[in-house]
């Protein structure tokens, strides 16, 4: 066969838009996901369109619809109308589903939190709740947050009706009951401020050990990741704290990531810092083999829990209120692309990040079985960047077959990430 014809036969480019989920999967994660705000999805079509784009978000989690007060506000009466919004949206779009949450002190109806319980009667209440709600979503949830926020901010056990009734025995009890309710979902402990590796993190490690010592099943720890611009741990610190839990045989994930500005409006430099912080969190996850995915807690500043809780703070997400991409979107995209292009992909496809800052385009060939054809089949296309242009921070500036700009805007320098990707940092 003529060599050009051979090449054409071997190269089978398939354009894949480089949404964050596409890049995350290419980088080795299971998903990049988002929470779904139930009150917005049917009234805001622009919001719904971005959320429904599987290349951008491969997994959804209901912001409120599966919580106890939404599903069993009255004892024994189960409602799934709100929770089903997310489950049905994910199903329709071919997206995965995380499920949130079972045993939690908040959004817990008064009949539970203020009831008078014995261990037996409260066990039956938890069991009935799990059997119904987890039973309803059986087979749909990649993971369930079985116990949420059991540790107080100072590192002590959080005082709640479950602790009062059982002591810490409610922890293994909850995981055992959850396993019986849905044997195939991953069972997670989920909490915030674990990222700082302080007393709260120590207690969460103890929690995992308590559950494991009791012989109860636990598969993962969710790092909620409600963080603050300029106070977010660096990439290696994130990796270090994640590894405390993977060392216990668990997987980990960022489950509710948002990084808020503590004062508004955010300056342009604060937006860049926010981008750096997001890059550090996502990069830290990429650096840990057992970190399986990242979920952001809503994707747009238009819909976020933060201003209601922290007055004057917010703009914590990666799309602005007009649904435009922020610098944080680009930084996440860049970090994922750097990892995604580290190893030439095994199957034929194209990664093409849509950001103007990181126009990396690789085209891979479908290798035949002989080594001779392998050597002649690998090609790459070029970028449209003009010569002499300088890349902004996070932009690609080198890598195998890169023909775009190799210079960075001051003060950034071009730093090699791997053979396929150098980046202005
Ligand atoms: O359901 C009522 C509705 O009937 C009423 O009309 C409306 C009036 O404001 O309020 C509705 O309740 C709100 C509820 O969300 C459902 O939309 C509450 O006011 C509001 O406070 C509640 O906030 C949620 C918060 O959890 C409650 O703890 C946020 O949306 C949600 O983002 C937030 O999520 C939590 C995670 O589940 C766990 N980790 C922390 C994270 C942030 O707090």
């Amino acid at each position: 066969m003529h060599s050009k014809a051979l090449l054409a036969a071997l190269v089978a480019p398939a354009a894949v838009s480089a949404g964050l989920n596409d890049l995350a999967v290419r980088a080795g994660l299971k998903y990049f996901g988002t929470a779904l705000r139930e009150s917005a999805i049917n009234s805001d079509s622009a919001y719904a369109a971005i959320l429904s784009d599987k290349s951008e978000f491969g997994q959804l989690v209901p912001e409120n619809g599966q919580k106890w007060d939404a599903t069993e506000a009255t004892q024994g009466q189960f409602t799934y109308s709100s929770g089903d919004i997310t489950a049905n949206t994910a199903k329709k779009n071919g997206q995965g589903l995380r499920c949130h949450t079972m045993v939690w002190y908040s959004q817990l109806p008064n009949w539970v939190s203020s009831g008078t319980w014995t261990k037996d009667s409260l066990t039956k209440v938890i069991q009935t709740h799990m059997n119904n709600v987890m039973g309803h979503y059986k087979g749909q949830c990649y993971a369930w947050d079985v116990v949420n926020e059991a540790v107080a901010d100072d590192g002590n056990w959080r005082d709640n009706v479950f602790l009062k009734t059982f002591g810490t025995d409610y922890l293994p009890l909850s995981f055992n009951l959850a396993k019986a309710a849905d044997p195939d979902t991953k069972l997670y402990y989920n909490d915030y401020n674990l990222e700082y590796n302080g007393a709260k993190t120590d207690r969460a490690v103890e929690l995992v050990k308590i559950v494991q010592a009791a012989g109860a099943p636990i598969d993962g720890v969710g790092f909620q990741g409600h963080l603050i611009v300029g106070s977010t741990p660096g990439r290696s610190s994130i990796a270090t704290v994640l590894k405390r839990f993977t060392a216990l045989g668990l997987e980990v994930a960022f489950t509710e990531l948002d990084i808020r500005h503590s004062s508004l409006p955010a300056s342009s430099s604060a937006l860049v810092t926010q981008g750096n912080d997001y890059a550090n969190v996502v990069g830290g996850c990429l650096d840990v083999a057992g970190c399986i995915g990242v979920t952001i807690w809503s994707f747009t500043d238009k819909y976020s829990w933060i201003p209601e809780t922290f007055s004057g703070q917010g703009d914590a997400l990666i799309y602005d209120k007009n649904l435009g991409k922020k610098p944080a979107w680009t930084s996440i995209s860049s970090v994922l692309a750097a990892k995604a292009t580290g190893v030439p992909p095994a199957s034929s496809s194209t990664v093409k990040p849509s950001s103007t800052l990181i126009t990396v385009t690789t085209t891979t060939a479908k290798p035949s079985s002989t080594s001779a054809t392998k050597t002649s089949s690998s090609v790459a296309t070029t970028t449209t960047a003009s010569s002499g242009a300088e890349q902004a921070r996070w932009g690609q500036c080198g890598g195998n077959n890169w023909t775009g700009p190799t210079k960075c805007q001051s003060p950034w320098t071009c730093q090699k990430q791997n053979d396929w990707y150098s980046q202005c940092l």
Side-chain angles (χ1 to χ4, degrees), residues 130-195:
M130 286 184 175
N131 284 347
N132 279 275
V133 181
M134 294 180 74
H136 180 78
Y137 293 105
K138 208 173 199 165
Q140 298 179 61
C141 305
Y142 168 74
W144 260 104
D145 292 327
V146 175
V147 177
N148 199 44
E149 300 173 9
V151 183
D153 293 352
D154 62 4
N156 286 313
W157 295 114
R158 191 182 288 280
D159 193 22
N160 62 37
V161 65
F162 307 108
L163 189 75
K164 278 197 178 78
T165 307
F166 298 101
T168 56
D169 287 352
Y170 86 88
L171 302 166
L173 174 75
S174 298
F175 282 92
N176 278 324
L177 292 174
K179 187 75 178 176
D182 183 353
D184 296 326
T185 194
K186 300 264 186 196
L187 306 176
Y188 268 60
Y189 175 66
N190 190 50
D191 211 334
Y192 62 89
N193 284 0
L194 303 181
E195 297 79 12

Side-chain angles (χ1 to χ4, degrees), residues 10 21 28 30 54 72 101 130 144 170 178 247 275 285 297 328 348 356 364-366 400 416 419:
L10 292 169
N21 184 60
K30 289 189 193 297
K54 189 185 172 186
E72 194 188 5
T101 180
M130 286 184 175
W144 260 104
Y170 86 88
C285 178
W297 203 240
S348 104
T356 53
T364 51
K366 216 172 208 159
N400 286 350
K416 180 176 175 178
D419 287 347

Side-chain angles (χ1 to χ4, degrees), residues 172 176 205-218:
N176 278 324
V205 167
E206 185 186 336
L207 183 154
V208 170
K209 289 180 175 169
I210 287 171
V211 173
Q212 290 178 328
I218 179 168

Side-chain angles (χ1 to χ4, degrees), residues 400-416:
N400 286 350
N401 299 308
W402 171 253
T403 58
T406 53
K407 289 185 182 150
C408 300
Q409 290 173 359
S410 176
W412 316 120
T413 57
C414 189
Q415 296 180 23
K416 180 176 175 178

Side-chain angles (χ1 to χ4, degrees), residues 62-313:
E63 188 172 351
N64 287 295
Q66 290 177 324
K67 293 172 181 176
W68 203 310
D69 65 352
T71 52
E72 194 188 5
T74 302
Q75 184 168 14
Q77 292 180 20
F78 291 89
T79 313
Y80 302 110
S81 50
S82 184
D84 283 354
I85 292 172
T86 307
N88 292 341
T89 303
K91 205 179 295 171
K92 188 179 75 189
N93 299 328
Q95 295 159 308
L97 184 68
R98 268 200 109 252
C99 292
H100 172 80
T101 180
M102 284 288 135
V103 176
W104 186 29
Y105 76 95
S106 179
Q107 289 174 284
L108 186 64
N110 275 340
W111 70 264
V112 184
S113 55
S114 306
T116 306
W117 306 110
T118 63
K119 287 183 183 179
D120 278 352
S121 63
L122 191 52
T123 299
K124 286 197 179 69
V125 162
I126 299 170
Q127 185 175 38
T128 302
H129 185 74
M130 286 184 175
N131 284 347
N132 279 275
V133 181
M134 294 180 74
H136 180 78
Y137 293 105
K138 208 173 199 165
Q140 298 179 61
C141 305
Y142 168 74
W144 260 104
D145 292 327
V146 175
V147 177
N148 199 44
E149 300 173 9
V151 183
D153 293 352
D154 62 4
N156 286 313
W157 295 114
R158 191 182 288 280
D159 193 22
N160 62 37
V161 65
F162 307 108
L163 189 75
K164 278 197 178 78
T165 307
F166 298 101
T168 56
D169 287 352
Y170 86 88
L171 302 166
L173 174 75
S174 298
F175 282 92
N176 278 324
L177 292 174
K179 187 75 178 176
D182 183 353
D184 296 326
T185 194
K186 300 264 186 196
L187 306 176
Y188 268 60
Y189 175 66
N190 190 50
D191 211 334
Y192 62 89
N193 284 0
L194 303 181
E195 297 79 12
Y196 299 106
N197 214 354
K200 191 162 179 177
T201 317
D202 294 344
R203 188 69 76 183
V205 167
E206 185 186 336
L207 183 154
V208 170
K209 289 180 175 169
I210 287 171
V211 173
Q212 290 178 328
I218 179 168
D219 301 299
V221 169
F223 282 65
Q224 292 184 6
H226 295 299
L227 299 166
I228 300 169
V229 171
S231 304
T232 296
R235 181 167 175 158
S236 65
S237 301
I238 292 284
T240 298
V241 73
L242 294 176
K243 284 179 188 160
R244 289 188 71 184
F245 294 90
T246 57
L248 299 173
L250 305 183
E251 63 180 44
V252 292
F254 280 94
T255 53
E256 305 182 13
L257 180 60
D258 51 26
I259 309 182
R260 65 183 181 269
H261 295 280
S262 45
S263 67
L264 294 172
S267 66
S268 54
S269 74
L271 289 172
V272 171
T273 305
Q274 184 180 47
N276 295 345
D277 289 341
Y278 267 104
N280 282 331
V281 172
V282 175
C285 178
L286 290 173
D287 293 343
V288 176
C291 189
I292 58 98
V294 175
T295 306
I296 48 179
W297 203 240
S298 176
F299 62 88
T300 162
D301 294 336
K302 195 172 180 182
Y303 304 115
S304 168
W305 64 285
I306 290 168
E308 195 181 292
T309 305
F310 299 103
S311 179
Q313 303 187 37

Side-chain angles (χ1 to χ4, degrees), residues 379-392:
V379 298
T381 57
T382 63
T383 72
T384 54
S386 60
S387 63
E390 292 183 342
Q391 289 287 62

